[in-house]
Amino acid sequence: MSATIATVGWQAAQRLWRTPGAKLALIGFGLFVLVALIGPWIAPYDPFARLQLANGEPARSVPPSLEHPFGTTSYGRDVLSQVIWGTRRTLVVGFVGALVTVVIGVNVGLVAGFAGGRTDALLMRITDSAYALPFLPFAIVLVGILGRSDVVLLLAIATLFWRTTARVVRAQVLSLKQRPFVRAAVVGGARPRRVLYRHIAPNVVSLAMLYGLFLVTEAVIAEASLSFLGLAPPDSISWGTIMFDAFTSTELNTTWWWAFFPGLAIMLFVLCMSLLGRAYESAQAHRWESRQP
């Protein structure tokens, strides 16, 4: 089953690479991932170090220059180094959150669509309940109860963001389970689990990958939002925490670069992921059109 799903995923990635406009987004995405992987080795300074100028004075609120391309904070810290270091935590939370969410959503959709009846009704009512909960208030309450940590943030994301994936996968399964190859497997005595994960699941992988791309964007924005509200773990660094420090300082009006560059990083990453999602969607649409007689 895993080999079949991996094959489907690889074929989808190949179609994505051949889609116009996707290469630029993939290059941008690859650069973000590269920075996240090697950030500690390429950052020019320690992100928490309070730097000094050549004359020995603290390097506070230094505007962008050759020595400090993104400027420094009012505490004398290098903004470029902070943005580079913050890339790792932001992307880890985004990708792990999206992965967990997709796994939950796909499994809920598979079971609901295939089982039908009371099981379907129960799972869809739970999904409706998840839609009724606004994310930010829910996450704030959760952090207030369990404390500030990445695990709590991922728990908040996984608890609510799976709902759309589950609905879409369920709709796809309702159609797939009427197909001859699924009926043949059921008549042949295949167990429900085998039918679900061997015959139906590979046909929803492409759909799950599409929603996974958009969920990465949502998870990154969610992490930035909560970090901006001061709900990040103590001593952590991400794009959101940098903006939180900037807005809680008293010198933001004169140090515009402090919040501008992490905000720009969020915008560019979201743009790359959105372009990837749209390109992947176009590739899938072209695939289905080419199958039509």
Side-chain angles (χ1 to χ4, degrees):
M1 184 267 293
S2 59
T4 303
I5 293 180
T7 301
V8 174
W10 174 248
Q11 292 173 348
Q14 288 180 315
R15 289 192 299 272
L16 177 61
W17 180 253
R18 294 192 295 266
T19 303
K23 292 184 179 180
L24 182 61
L26 282 170
I27 292 173
F29 168 75
L31 289 175
F32 277 109
V33 173
L34 182 64
V35 170
L37 292 175
I38 65 174
W41 293 277
I42 63 174
Y45 304 97
D46 184 329
F48 297 105
R50 299 194 176 191
L51 307 175
Q52 294 182 339
L53 299 174
N55 58 10
E57 295 182 358
R60 295 176 179 172
S61 303
V62 176
S65 61
L66 290 178
E67 187 176 359
H68 303 285
F70 288 6
T72 65
T73 72
S74 62
Y75 306 112
R77 294 165 180 162
D78 185 65
V79 177
L80 174 60
S81 300
Q82 290 192 332
V83 171
I84 291 175
W85 274 77
T87 303
R88 175 175 295 184
R89 178 175 180 269
T90 300
L91 266 61
V92 166
V93 171
F95 283 106
V96 174
L99 177 61
V100 174
T101 303
V102 167
V103 170
I104 295 174
V106 167
N107 281 279
V108 170
L110 285 172
V111 174
F114 185 74
R118 293 182 178 179
T119 301
D120 181 25
L122 175 62
L123 291 176
M124 287 302 99
R125 295 300 75 76
I126 295 175
T127 304
D128 293 339
S129 300
Y131 271 110
L133 292 174
F135 174 73
L136 279 179
F138 173 78
I140 291 172
V141 171
L142 200 63
V143 170
I145 297 174
L146 301 178
R148 295 184 295 170
S149 71
D150 287 338
V151 174
V152 175
L153 174 57
L154 290 172
L155 179 62
I157 293 173
T159 301
L160 296 183
F161 283 8
W162 56 270
R163 50 203 179 187
T164 301
T165 306
R167 278 187 173 276
V168 174
V169 169
R170 170 185 175 270
Q172 186 75 359
V173 172
L174 289 175
S175 173
L176 288 170
K177 73 177 186 179
Q178 304 299 328
R179 303 286 179 86
F181 70 93
V182 175
R183 288 181 174 274
V186 174
V187 172
R191 295 182 177 180
R193 182 177 178 179
R194 179 177 178 81
V195 175
L196 266 181
Y197 293 103
R198 179 69 180 179
H199 300 282
I200 295 180
N203 291 281
V204 301
V205 168
S206 297
L207 193 62
M209 289 179 64
L210 173 62
Y211 277 85
L213 291 173
F214 291 122
L215 282 170
V216 171
T217 299
E218 293 185 23
V220 165
I221 294 175
E223 185 280 328
S225 300
L226 293 177
S227 297
F228 178 73
L229 293 175
L231 301 178
D235 299 326
S236 64
I237 183 169
S238 68
W239 297 336
T241 60
I242 300 171
M243 297 180 69
F244 168 75
D245 291 337
F247 275 86
T248 53
S249 72
T250 59
E251 301 183 16
L252 183 59
N253 291 335
T254 56
T255 56
W256 57 267
W257 53 86
W258 192 353
F260 174 78
F261 288 108
L264 181 64
I266 293 173
M267 184 191 72
L268 291 177
F269 181 78
V270 169
L271 178 62
C272 285
M273 297 306 299
S274 297
L275 290 175
L276 277 178
R278 298 304 177 189
Y280 185 78
E281 188 176 21
S282 298
Q284 290 300 107
H286 179 73
R287 176 196 175 196
W288 286 107
E289 288 176 1
S290 63
R291 287 186 171 186
Q292 299 301 319

